[in-house]
Amino acid sequence: MANVAFIGLGVMGYPMAGHLQTKGGHSVRVYNRTAAKAQSWVDIYGGASAPTPAEAARDADFVFTCVGNDDDLRQVTTGPDGVLSAMKPGAILIDNTTASAEVARELDEAARARGCHFIDAPVSGGQSGAENGVLTVMCGGDAGVFEKARPVIDSYARMIGLMGPAGSGQLAKMVNQICIAGLVQGLSEGIHFAKRAGLDVERLVEVISKGAAGSWQMENRHKTMNEGKFDFGFAIDWMRKDLGIVLSEARRNGAKLPVTALVDQFYGDVQAMGGNRWDTSSLLARLEKP
Ligand code: NAP
């Protein structure tokens, strides 16, 4: 069992840190910017909390981060009182934030400079995946370091894969978001059309979800989409952050992403409708706007 630090107890980090303590049996010390959340975590799971990321990371064998974006990540890692100022040589920094491949490579270098290691490890599976400890984790880093980190990451994962060197986990997560963007627009158009055509959406999905049109989104989101319920799940503000990272990486590597770019604009329309925190399936609301 290892000494573990966890930085960022948001929707995702809170239950993930919980699994490391309970399912993994590790000794977890948490840090959260809003201290009340760290206290509530300790009340529920035991473990300990620290006043700064650096204090949480001191003596830890594995340091996890799960914050918002690139800048937030820099603050808690290489900023003043960031984890890298205190990590012991040989310790492994594992970042679960959805961030750019560039910041992952930057942190890999910063970790090496201190005699530490880095794995970028963005996740997919949403809030329920985090709460049930069944996330998909896409990793980038050295194979030997990954093998050491894998059994610890396993506490909150169902599927863990090493995609290549540092930054590759983030690149894989970008592909994940590209695939989701076009698919959700297609599903929204399908449901929108079905309603206009007077079809019973429940019966329709029962039949077509077993064929070539079936998807996780169709199985898990058609009911709430049909009911016009979007105030849950993965927020559009986060999706636009992710698509921004994707489109900027595509400008670098020359990939053509016309549908992804268009859907990003559609999400902008939904934000303008007040949907910043709505689920990504709310592309349907845009089509049904009078
Ligand atoms: P969240 O609920 O908004 O939590 C963000 C966490 O980061 C909070 O603990 C916040 O602290 C902390 N934080 C943000 N900026 C910080 C800063 N500058 N310094 C210190 N702490 C900071 O977000 P989330 O849903 O857990 O998502 C976290 C990451 O996972 C994001 O990159 C997101 O894109 C990704 N992700 C989310 C989902 C999902 O379904 N939610 C799915 C896959 C991936 P405070 O409590 O003080 O605000």
Side-chain angles (χ1 to χ4, degrees):
M1 297 304 107
N3 284 333
V4 169
F6 204 105
I7 315 301
L9 302 173
V11 166
M12 301 296 285
Y14 196 100
M16 288 161 77
H19 289 303
L20 284 161
Q21 174 83 15
T22 53
K23 207 164 125 198
H26 303 294
S27 170
V28 181
R29 185 183 294 170
V30 295
Y31 164 82
N32 196 65
R33 181 178 56 184
T34 307
K37 257 195 241 172
Q39 189 52 51
S40 124
W41 189 94
V42 170
D43 291 345
I44 293 176
Y45 296 108
S49 75
T52 63
E55 282 308 313
R58 204 176 300 284
D59 301 326
D61 307 299
F62 299 89
V63 176
F64 288 81
T65 45
C66 188
V67 293
N69 59 26
D70 283 20
D71 287 342
D72 301 325
L73 182 56
R74 286 190 182 99
Q75 266 180 32
V76 300
T77 52
T78 51
D81 283 331
V83 293
L84 279 169
S85 68
M87 280 171 63
K88 63 183 183 189
I92 303 177
L93 171 58
I94 300 161
D95 176 44
N96 298 126
T97 310
T98 303
S100 67
E102 199 182 353
V103 77
R105 292 181 198 116
E106 207 177 286
L107 291 181
D108 181 58
E109 247 181 60
R112 280 170 200 272
R114 285 195 56 85
C116 300
H117 307 288
F118 175 76
I119 300 277
D120 49 304
V123 300
S124 155
Q127 180 171 358
S128 66
E131 287 172 354
N132 296 317
V134 292
L135 292 168
T136 295
V137 190
M138 296 148 271
C139 298
D142 288 345
V145 177
F146 171 74
E147 284 311 325
K148 282 188 197 154
R150 183 207 278 270
V152 186
I153 296 173
D154 198 45
S155 308
Y156 56 75
R158 180 163 58 191
M159 170 61 79
I160 311 169
L162 180 65
M163 302 292 126
S168 305
Q170 295 297 353
L171 293 171
K173 173 75 182 182
M174 290 176 213
V175 176
N176 189 77
Q177 301 307 69
I178 292 166
C179 295
I180 288 175
L183 190 148
V184 175
Q185 177 64 16
L187 178 60
S188 300
E189 290 184 16
I191 292 177
H192 177 60
F193 178 94
K195 287 164 93 173
R196 289 288 170 116
L199 291 171
D200 179 328
V201 173
E202 281 294 318
R203 276 179 55 200
L204 169 77
V205 169
E206 218 178 283
V207 174
I208 69 169
S209 64
K210 304 297 175 285
S215 66
W216 185 95
Q217 298 284 344
M218 185 181 279
E219 289 274 355
N220 292 280
R221 292 286 181 261
H222 77 274
K223 197 170 183 336
T224 41
M225 287 170 82
N226 191 32
E227 290 165 351
K229 289 185 186 155
F230 305 113
D231 55 344
F232 60 94
F234 187 59
I236 285 184
D237 279 354
W238 280 143
M239 187 59 164
R240 287 215 81 199
K241 179 222 12 153
D242 293 1
L243 294 180
I245 292 170
V246 166
L247 294 171
S248 122
E249 187 67 35
R251 273 193 291 279
R252 248 190 304 276
N253 69 19
K256 299 182 187 85
L257 304 178
V259 173
T260 307
L262 195 59
V263 172
D264 178 52
Q265 294 302 306
F266 292 167
Y267 278 127
D269 295 344
V270 182
Q271 285 175 316
M273 290 165 63
N276 299 62
R277 300 296 298 179
W278 293 355
D279 178 76
T280 42
S281 64
S282 60
L283 285 172
L284 177 62
R286 179 185 162 277
L287 296 175
E288 300 200 329
K289 188 171 170 254

